[in-house]
């Protein structure tokens, strides 16, 4: 469960909030709105990459407002996927497992299972530079889920893809919904989330409103 | 073929002008190599004083570079990533050793390590004299060459997208882990370039070293000493050997760097 209460964040002349919202575990929540409306900022606040001026970020009944990003039970898929270019696909997926000091055998098993889930088992030894957009997205998803986050944040996950790859990538996101993963998906394109979202919010000039 | 097609009139003029710059670097060195007397070169090559000075120069410059890196790389990272008051002043301080005369740098370091300084008197209490020691040479080398490492590493860190560091954080990596596993490897090429530049610059230093430690002699000081005492004919072979050794070393290091990064 993700609960935001009276979140307020100011950056230069932009104000986000106040935002109060409660998202139940296992839901696929879509937040859409135009560029610059504060969608990515909201995700960064939940992820701990930005600290709000006031308000609380509660995940699974724990207050994470002042807790650093690395200690939050959150996975994030960045708009450009932010894959580490000096690592292979396997090393990217294994990264969160390595930093949590899992042993090599457990890393191999977990990374292998994630690769299978996202149909990238054949890519594990490949370098990031040789991957297509769709493959990158799947690697980034596998990596974001490797440390079993309570909530997965998707920042415009389909915008970096060509039209023909979007459908395939959208199906990949469907896997998350099917698995009962709590997802917050932000996008500027409402059509992208019509079939996926269990609840839709609209972000406009830093204000969040429930649509359906 | 394509490159040839793109080579227009402007490029040709630039090539001619650039050729003059290249010739300016190459001609004096080529002249030095061509005019060296073979028996003198053999004598210098078998001279233990020359060999020892080259080994000393390489070792001290290497040590100065590695030890400086422990301090320079964190500073470079902070300069690349953080905004803070007086950052411009700090960047100007970093560049100071490039703009001040190296003899003046030598005087400044001498003040730091002479017997009446805090550091010098502390060393004296242990029976050590820092002036004229390898430590003084290392300090002089580090002082004049550290800006090359800091500036190159800073540019390297600045080119690493902050998004990748943020991604590492959301994946559970600590700040130090993010630095060691993401920032440093991605800035690796620039950091290694900086290390090589610092090493090379330290090795070739004369002005500051000659003031803090005439003895034990580094090769640039030895070249000067041979020139002053015996003339050009005796200084030139030492210079040729030193330039050859450094060229071989740097070509090898550059090849390794290109393969690795």
């Amino acid at each position: 469960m993700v609960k935001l209460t009276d979140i307020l964040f100011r950056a230069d002349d932009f104000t986000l909030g106040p935002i109060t919202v409660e998202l139940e575990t296992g839901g696929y929540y879509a937040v859409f709105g135009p560029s610059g409306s504060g969608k990515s900022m909201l995700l960064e606040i939940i992820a701990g990459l930005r600290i709000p001026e006031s308000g609380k970020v509660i995940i699974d009944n724990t207050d994470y407002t002042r807790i650093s990003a690395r200690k939050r039970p959150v996975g994030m898929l960045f708009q450009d996927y932010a894959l580490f270019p000096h690592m292979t696909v396997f090393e990217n997926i294994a990264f969160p497992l390595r930093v949590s000091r899992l042993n090599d055998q457990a890393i191999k098993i977990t990374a292998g299972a994630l690769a299978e889930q996202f149909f990238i088992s054949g890519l594990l030894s490949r370098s990031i530079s040789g991957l297509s957009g769709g493959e990158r997205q799947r690697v980034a998803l596998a990596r974001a889920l490797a440390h079993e986050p309570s909530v997965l944040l998707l920042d415009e996950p389909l915008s970096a893809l060509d039209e023909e790859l979007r459908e395939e990538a959208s199906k990949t996101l469907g896997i998350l919904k099917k698995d009962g993963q709590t997802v917050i998906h932000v996008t500027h394109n409402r059509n992208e989330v019509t079939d996926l979202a269990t609840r839709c919010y609209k972000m406009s000039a830093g204000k969040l409103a429930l649509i359906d | 073929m394509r490159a040839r097609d793109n080579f227009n009139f402007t490029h040709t003029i630039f090539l001619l002008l650039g050729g003059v710059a290249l010739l300016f670097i190459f001609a004096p060195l080529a002249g030095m190599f061509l005019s060296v007397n073979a028996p003198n070169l053999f004598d210098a090559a078998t001279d233990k004083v020359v060999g020892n000075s080259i080994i000393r120069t390489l070792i001290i410059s290497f040590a100065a570079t590695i030890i400086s890196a422990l301090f320079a790389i964190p500073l470079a990272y902070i300069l690349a990533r953080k905004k803070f008051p007086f950052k411009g002043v700090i960047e100007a301080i970093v560049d100071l050793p490039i703009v001040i005369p190296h003899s003046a740098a030598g005087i400044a370091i001498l003040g730091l390590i002479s017997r009446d300084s805090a550091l010098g008197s502390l060393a004296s209490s242990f029976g050590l004299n820092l002036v004229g020691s390898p430590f003084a040479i290392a300090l002089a080398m580090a002082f004049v060459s550290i800006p090359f490492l800091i500036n190159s590493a800073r540019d390297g860190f600045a080119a690493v997208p902050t998004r990748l560091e943020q991604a590492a954080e959301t994946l559970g990596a600590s700040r130090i882990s993010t630095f060691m596993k993401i920032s440093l490897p991605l800035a690796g090429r620039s950091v290694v370039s900086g290390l090589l530049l610092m090493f090379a610059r330290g090795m070739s230093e004369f002005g500051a070293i000659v003031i803090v430690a005439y003895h034990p002699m580094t090769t640039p000081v030895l070249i000067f000493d041979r020139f002053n005492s015996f003339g050009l004919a005796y200084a030139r072979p030492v210079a040729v050997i030193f330039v050859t050794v450094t060229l071989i070393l740097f070509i090898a290091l550059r090849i390794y760097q290109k393969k690795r990064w």
Side-chain angles (χ1 to χ4, degrees):
Chain A
M1 185 262 290
V2 179
K3 192 174 165 188
L4 306 178
T5 50
D6 295 321
I7 291 290
L8 187 71
F9 183 86
R10 271 187 260 260
D12 300 324
D13 53 354
F14 181 80
T15 304
L16 179 86
I19 290 174
T20 298
V21 68
E22 197 171 323
L23 309 172
E24 294 302 323
T25 302
Y28 195 111
Y29 303 96
V31 178
F32 71 93
S35 297
S37 59
K39 307 184 299 291
S40 299
M41 205 176 259
L42 179 68
L43 291 191
E44 286 170 359
I45 288 169
I46 299 170
L49 298 174
R50 290 178 192 263
I51 304 299
E53 201 176 290
S54 62
K56 283 185 177 176
V57 178
I58 294 163
I59 304 167
D60 296 341
N61 299 317
T62 305
D63 185 354
Y64 284 97
T65 317
R66 306 278 155 197
I67 292 175
S68 70
R70 75 185 196 91
K71 290 181 179 162
R72 297 192 183 201
V74 169
M76 185 156 176
L77 184 81
F78 292 87
Q79 193 170 351
D80 57 359
Y81 307 133
L83 293 171
F84 306 133
H86 58 306
M87 297 182 188
T88 62
V89 168
F90 174 80
E91 286 165 344
N92 264 276
I93 300 170
F95 183 83
L97 306 169
R98 284 208 196 288
V99 295
S100 62
R101 299 185 187 280
L102 234 64
N103 65 54
D104 284 353
Q105 189 61 25
I107 290 173
K108 220 173 169 183
I109 292 168
T110 310
L114 281 161
E116 212 165 290
Q117 186 184 357
F118 291 102
F119 312 109
I120 47 173
S121 299
L123 306 176
L124 288 175
S125 59
R126 293 261 298 271
S127 75
I128 298 303
S129 59
L131 302 180
S132 70
E135 289 167 341
R136 278 170 195 247
Q137 188 224 33
R138 281 181 272 151
V139 174
L141 272 175
R143 188 184 67 175
L145 290 168
H147 59 314
E148 297 178 355
S150 293
V151 56
L152 181 66
L153 311 173
L154 308 178
D155 189 2
E156 301 272 6
L158 306 179
S159 68
L161 303 175
D162 297 336
E163 198 62 51
E164 56 209 63
L165 282 172
R166 281 194 188 172
E167 200 177 329
E168 177 201 331
S170 197
K171 280 181 193 161
T172 309
L173 299 181
I175 298 173
L176 303 172
K177 189 181 174 182
K178 206 176 109 195
D179 289 353
Q181 171 72 49
T182 310
V183 176
I184 304 175
H185 176 151
V186 310
T187 176
H188 63 277
N189 180 4
R190 192 178 177 181
N191 296 333
E192 182 180 299
V193 286
T194 323
D195 297 335
L196 290 166
T198 47
R199 210 189 291 169
C200 265
Y201 292 88
K202 186 179 182 187
M203 180 73 98
S204 179
K207 307 278 187 233
L208 190 70
L210 180 66
I211 298 293
D212 55 48
Chain B
M1 196 64 189
R2 195 185 163 90
R4 202 186 158 98
D5 290 343
N6 289 340
F7 223 80
N8 58 30
F9 178 72
T10 310
H11 292 143
T12 310
I13 297 292
F14 280 15
L15 185 68
L16 289 172
L17 293 171
V20 174
L22 208 59
L23 198 64
F24 176 70
I25 298 168
F26 184 70
L29 288 173
M32 183 175 78
F33 274 79
L34 291 172
S35 57
V36 71
N37 173 305
N40 284 356
L41 185 64
F42 179 77
D43 287 347
T46 53
D47 185 346
K48 272 195 167 177
V49 174
V50 175
N52 287 342
S53 83
I54 291 174
I55 292 167
R56 182 179 303 122
T57 308
L58 295 180
I59 290 175
I60 298 178
S61 185
F62 181 76
T65 304
I66 296 301
I67 294 167
S68 300
L70 296 176
F71 308 97
I73 292 173
L75 176 61
Y77 183 77
I78 293 292
L79 290 174
R81 278 287 181 257
K82 296 291 170 191
K83 287 179 186 166
F84 50 86
F86 305 112
K87 186 177 168 181
V89 175
I90 290 174
E91 285 176 328
I93 291 171
V94 167
D95 286 336
L96 265 182
I98 296 174
V99 295
I100 64 169
H102 287 187
S103 49
I107 298 290
I109 293 164
L110 194 60
L112 185 74
I113 59 171
S114 63
R115 281 179 186 278
D116 50 0
S117 70
L119 193 62
S121 62
L122 180 73
S124 288
S125 64
F126 291 101
L128 298 169
N129 182 13
L130 297 180
V131 178
S133 69
F135 177 75
I137 297 171
L139 271 187
M141 284 178 172
F143 184 88
V144 299
S145 59
I146 202 166
F148 295 98
L149 173 56
I150 296 172
N151 290 334
S152 181
R154 182 195 57 202
D155 294 346
F157 287 127
V160 176
T162 47
R163 261 291 181 251
L164 297 182
E165 293 176 348
Q166 289 179 330
E169 273 190 66
T170 64
L171 294 166
S174 64
R175 291 274 159 86
I176 190 70
S177 191
T178 300
F179 176 79
M180 296 303 289
K181 291 186 165 82
I182 306 297
S183 320
L184 192 57
L186 288 174
R189 195 182 173 86
S190 299
V191 172
V192 173
S193 272
L195 288 168
L196 286 178
L197 274 174
M198 184 178 175
F199 178 48
R201 185 63 200 86
M203 238 169 48
S204 60
E205 177 54 20
F206 168 75
I209 293 175
V210 81
I211 286 173
V212 298
Y214 198 91
H215 290 280
M217 279 189 197
T218 60
T219 315
V221 176
L222 180 68
I223 294 167
F224 171 75
D225 185 70
R226 291 275 164 103
F227 176 70
N228 226 15
S229 309
F230 308 109
L232 187 60
Y234 288 88
R236 193 182 277 140
V238 184
V240 165
I241 291 167
F242 189 53
V243 170
T244 307
V245 168
T246 53
L247 273 181
I248 291 169
L249 186 68
F250 279 97
I251 289 168
L253 286 172
R254 283 285 183 202
I255 290 170
Y256 173 74
Q257 185 201 6
K258 281 202 170 175
K259 276 189 179 171
R260 179 72 178 78
W261 280 276

